[in-house]
């Protein structure tokens, strides 16, 4: 009888441990990121003042990235492909949002295998209405907010039918009006700011 009780307790502990691990590593990132109490909404089409980031008249794509966020790490290959594919037409930037560790520009550029500008300014996220990582922001050539949202409906960026950021780039380059996306594209998922934890 005692042996059955111990086996039962062991199985219960094992199931609880698996549930906690699943929550910590997977399920919590499938839930929308909580909107901060002091969040100020920035509407699509709003003029975004990014004097620090403007180097030419091309549209600007800003990747908001936290090296400690699992969702950010999983989409590095996807963002790298976007940079390679559209780098001659779009002005790519990376904004690192992590208050707990310091990273160098070279470390971030190496992760993406791209020599693009890297910023550590939290105000860029605030100006764009970003409160989680990873997030994509696309500004047209006049610095109007064209798209702010997710890269894909999966955090691994494996669903080609929901490559939202890429769709926004294609739409802008074809000079279409702002594309319409479902809620999964525009509702923030990932790691919360300012500490980028969930």
């Amino acid at each position: 009888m005692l042996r059955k009780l111990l086996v039962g307790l062991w199985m219960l502990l094992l199931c609880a441990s698996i549930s906690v691990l699943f929550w910590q590593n997977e399920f919590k990132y499938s839930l929308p990121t909580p909107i901060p109490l002091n969040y100020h909404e920035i509407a699509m089409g709003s003029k975004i003042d990014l004097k620090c980031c403007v180097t030419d008249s091309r549209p600007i794509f800003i990747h908001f990235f936290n090296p400690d966020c699992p969702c950010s790490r999983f989409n590095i290959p996807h963002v790298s492909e976007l940079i390679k594919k559209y780098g001659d037409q779009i002005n790519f930037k990376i904004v690192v949002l992590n208050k707990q560790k310091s990273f160098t520009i070279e470390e971030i550029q190496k992760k993406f295998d791209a020599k693009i500008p890297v910023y550590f300014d939290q105000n860029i996220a605030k100006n764009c209405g970003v409160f989680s990582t990873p997030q994509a922001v696309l500004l047209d050539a006049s610095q109007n907010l064209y798209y702010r949202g997710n890269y894909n409906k999966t955090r691994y960026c494996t669903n080609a039918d929901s490559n939202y950021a890429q769709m926004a780039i294609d739409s802008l380059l074809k000079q279409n009006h702002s594309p319409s996306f479902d809620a999964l594209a525009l509702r923030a998922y990932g790691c919360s700011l300012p500490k980028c934890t969930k």
Side-chain angles (χ1 to χ4, degrees), residues 6 15 19 78 105 113 117 129 194:
L6 289 175
C15 287
S19 298
H78 180 66
I105 291 172
D113 192 26

Side-chain angles (χ1 to χ4, degrees):
M1 182 70 171
L2 181 60
R3 186 175 180 181
K4 286 184 180 179
L5 181 63
L6 289 175
V7 168
L9 287 173
W10 173 250
M11 294 300 285
L12 185 64
L13 179 65
L14 190 61
C15 287
S17 299
I18 291 170
S19 298
V20 167
L21 286 172
F22 178 72
W23 168 259
Q24 289 293 327
N25 295 301
E26 189 68 35
F27 185 70
K28 74 177 179 178
Y29 297 110
S30 69
L31 301 174
T33 305
I35 298 172
L37 294 175
N38 60 350
Y39 178 68
H40 177 67
E41 177 79 28
I42 306 295
M44 292 295 175
S46 297
K47 179 86 168 172
I48 307 295
D49 182 19
L50 293 177
K51 293 182 182 102
C52 68
C53 302
V54 179
T55 55
D56 56 42
S57 61
R58 291 181 296 166
I60 299 170
F61 186 99
I62 307 171
H63 173 53
F64 291 91
F65 174 67
N66 175 9
D68 290 337
C69 173
C71 300
S72 282
R73 287 194 306 266
F74 290 137
N75 87 340
I76 289 174
H78 180 66
V79 175
S80 296
E81 285 300 315
L82 292 177
I83 294 167
K84 286 176 187 157
K85 183 174 182 178
Y86 298 101
D88 58 337
Q89 301 168 77
I90 302 286
N91 200 342
F92 282 89
K93 316 284 184 188
I94 296 174
V95 176
V96 177
L97 301 171
N98 185 307
K99 287 187 170 186
Q100 298 170 341
K101 292 182 187 173
S102 59
F103 298 90
T104 66
I105 291 172
E106 293 76 22
E107 286 175 314
I108 302 302
Q109 289 174 336
K110 186 176 179 183
K111 288 179 185 296
F112 290 91
D113 192 26
K115 294 284 186 190
I116 61 172
V118 176
Y119 301 90
F120 299 91
D121 185 354
Q122 302 270 330
N123 288 321
I124 297 173
K126 183 179 178 183
N127 292 342
C128 294
V130 169
F131 58 90
S132 72
T133 60
Q135 284 284 284
V137 165
L138 181 61
L139 308 177
D140 65 19
S142 301
Q143 295 186 53
N144 297 313
L145 182 60
Y146 188 81
Y147 175 76
R148 177 190 57 239
N150 299 312
Y151 285 88
N152 199 292
K153 70 180 179 181
T154 70
R155 73 177 176 152
Y156 304 101
C157 296
T158 55
N159 187 340
D161 294 333
S162 65
N163 279 341
Y164 303 124
Q166 183 172 353
M167 291 174 189
I169 291 172
D170 288 336
S171 177
L172 178 63
L173 292 176
K174 292 176 186 170
Q175 298 183 344
N176 293 340
H177 294 291
S178 294
S180 60
F181 290 110
D182 60 28
L184 289 174
L186 305 176
R187 188 179 305 134
Y189 290 83
C191 303
S192 299
L193 300 181
K195 294 181 180 175
C196 290
T197 57
K198 191 81 171 180

